[in-house]
Each structure stands twice: as structure tokens, then as C-alpha cells.
Amino acid sequence: MRFEPAIHLGGFFKHTTRNLSPQAMIKAKKTPPDRLSWLVDVTQHSVELSDDAPVYVKVSEQTSLEDTPAPAQHPYCEMNVALEGDGILFVENEEKHRLKNEILLLGPGVPHWCKVTKFPLRSITVYFLPSALLEFCNPHVSTSILRRFTACRSLNDRLLAVPDSMHKEVIRSCREMFEEFQSRQFGWELRVDAILFTEIIRLIRWEVSCGKQIEEGTEDFDWRPVVMALRYLRDHYTKQIYAKDV
């Protein structure tokens, strides 16, 4: 059964000509070769995700260098919301001093790391399977949203510097997701899914209002083989994978 997100998508892909502010203020830069050594330490990050529970929510707090996570990558999507602290964000071969109101969107297989410059560093992270989007609503909408996570080419595209009022709303929703995730009450999976995808839509609609054009999905494409391939990659990502198996 598919569930439509609470926010209506009418006019979702209409392009506007408003100025990109404060989004345009985000300036990432290429990391110099002598600062790319962190990539050697990248490990596979793993959380418990399944088709029945495709979303995982956690609150993180680092108070010293000793409890700072190692560089990581993972076979699922990520939305990270900063709560407190400062740091330099490294994603692939780019870096940027992360601002408090910036929301990070990452697709599968993207190496990333944060070098903390001010403790404590607190954040809420939501991980979800790409297949969850394809099964949540119609393919036209879900594939367009999925592209927002997987088609990013620059750190400038992966970070959203939203207005303070919107940032507070996203934090409130993420905390609600975390409470639902922790409670394991009846229907918590649907509640977490609905809140997450509603917030993602809110963020994308804000981008559209700022002038960003979102590539539309297709409705006549059969995504079932794609979903099956994603599941296989998720279940076997620690092993050697051959094209014939996928």
C-alpha cells in the first residue's frame, strides 16, 4: 500500500525566478590533495534497516575527539540536521565549514566526515533505504525526490541553508521522528515514514521557491527491477558484487 505525503505537490516542479538566498551563500571548495588523507580511513557504516522498517533515526553527540565518528559511507540515503557545535564538513573531494542552519542530504556510497572545531557537536541523523521512496508514493514523485539525494554532484548541492524558522520546524519534526522511532508504538513505522517524506518535500518545495529547478520523474517506467537491485546491493554490499548478480 502506498501513502501520499501530507503536503500536496501541486505546482511542485514549477520554476520560479526568486533569488537564491541564503542558499546562494553556501560556498564549498575543493579539498587540497594534502588534506584528502581522511579518505583512507573511510569505513562502511551500518544500521538496521529492512523493507518493513526502512528508516532509522538517531541523535548524536560528540564531546571530545575520542568520541568523534570515523569517516564513513553507507548504502542508504541520509538527512543530517545540525543542532549545536561547529565543524568542517568533508564530502568526497570537497570541504566546507558547516553552518548551524544547514541541512545535509547524502545518497548511498558517498564518503563523508566532519572534523569538529567546537564541542559539543550534536545532530539528528535520519537514514533511509532508497527503495522506501519508490514504494511510498507514485513513481513520478518518488523518483524525483530520490534524484535530489543521488544526483548531487557538488557539496553546494548537498547542503541546504534554510531560513532559521524553517530550520526550527525541521528540527521539531526530526525530534518527533526520533521519539516515534524510540517508542516502537503501534504504527511507528508509518509515522516515521510520513514525517520524513513530508519534511523532504517541504525542503524541495523551498528550493523550488528559491529558483532551483527539479528534474521530474517518469510515471511509465517499471521500477520493480530497480527496487530488487537496490535490495540486493544493500544485502551484499560488504561482499564482491558482479553485474550478472544484479
Side-chain angles (χ1 to χ4, degrees):
M1 182 180 296
R2 288 173 175 164
F3 296 85
E4 296 295 339
I7 295 180
H8 181 60
L9 290 177
F12 182 74
F13 297 105
K14 185 182 294 183
H15 180 72
T16 68
T17 57
R18 297 183 188 179
N19 292 330
L20 288 173
S21 179
Q23 183 74 3
M25 297 171 59
I26 297 179
K27 299 297 180 183
K29 63 180 182 180
K30 293 289 185 181
T31 302
D34 60 348
R35 288 167 55 88
L36 289 173
S37 58
W38 69 272
L39 288 168
V40 178
D41 300 320
V42 171
T43 59
Q44 287 287 349
H45 178 268
S46 179
V47 296
E48 294 183 8
L49 293 171
S50 66
D51 293 331
D52 294 330
V55 181
Y56 187 99
V57 190
K58 75 172 185 177
V59 175
S60 301
E61 180 175 7
Q62 290 87 50
T63 59
S64 65
L65 291 175
E66 286 70 25
D67 56 8
T68 300
Q73 63 182 11
H74 41 67
Y76 31 77
C77 296
E78 172 182 338
M79 181 174 77
N80 179 272
V81 182
L83 302 176
E84 185 181 2
D86 284 304
I88 301 174
L89 180 64
F90 294 86
V91 177
E92 295 186 320
N93 64 340
E94 295 181 287
E95 64 180 79
K96 182 190 179 298
H97 185 273
R98 186 175 180 182
L99 303 177
K100 183 179 179 181
N101 66 329
E102 290 176 343
I103 298 171
L104 176 66
L105 307 180
L106 290 176
V110 179
H112 55 282
W113 177 52
C114 183
K115 182 180 180 180
V116 184
T117 56
K118 181 183 177 181
F119 292 100
L121 183 69
R122 297 176 58 245
S123 65
I124 299 178
T125 307
V126 184
Y127 304 107
F128 65 93
L129 298 177
S131 57
L133 270 174
L134 299 175
E135 297 171 350
F136 189 76
C137 55
N138 71 75
H140 177 72
V141 175
S142 60
T143 56
S144 296
I145 297 174
L146 188 57
R147 283 194 183 100
R148 183 60 188 86
F149 285 82
T150 60
C152 294
R153 299 175 182 174
S154 168
L155 183 52
N156 289 327
D157 295 324
R158 302 181 195 275
L159 282 169
L160 282 71
V162 300
D164 288 341
S165 59
M166 188 174 186
H167 187 251
K168 291 177 181 177
E169 293 176 358
V170 175
I171 289 176
R172 185 163 49 247
S173 295
C174 286
R175 283 175 171 159
E176 185 179 357
M177 272 190 285
F178 180 70
E179 291 172 359
E180 285 285 346
F181 182 79
Q182 292 289 100
S183 73
R184 292 297 201 271
Q185 295 185 55
F186 174 77
W188 69 269
E189 302 96 336
L190 293 180
R191 284 283 296 138
V192 169
D193 291 358
I195 296 170
L196 170 62
F197 298 134
T198 296
E199 286 307 307
I200 292 175
I201 291 170
R202 186 204 303 271
L203 292 171
I204 296 179
R205 291 183 73 176
W206 172 78
E207 286 190 291
V208 172
S209 75
C210 291
K212 185 178 180 65
Q213 193 162 11
I214 307 298
E215 185 179 357
E216 297 191 33
T218 58
E219 295 182 344
D220 56 352
F221 186 79
D222 185 4
W223 285 95
R224 286 173 296 181
V226 177
V227 173
M228 293 176 63
L230 288 171
R231 288 174 179 166
Y232 184 88
L233 292 172
R234 183 190 75 223
D235 295 338
H236 301 84
Y237 75 94
T238 58
K239 305 175 182 178
Q240 288 185 332
I241 297 177
Y242 300 94
K244 64 180 180 63
D245 298 322
V246 179

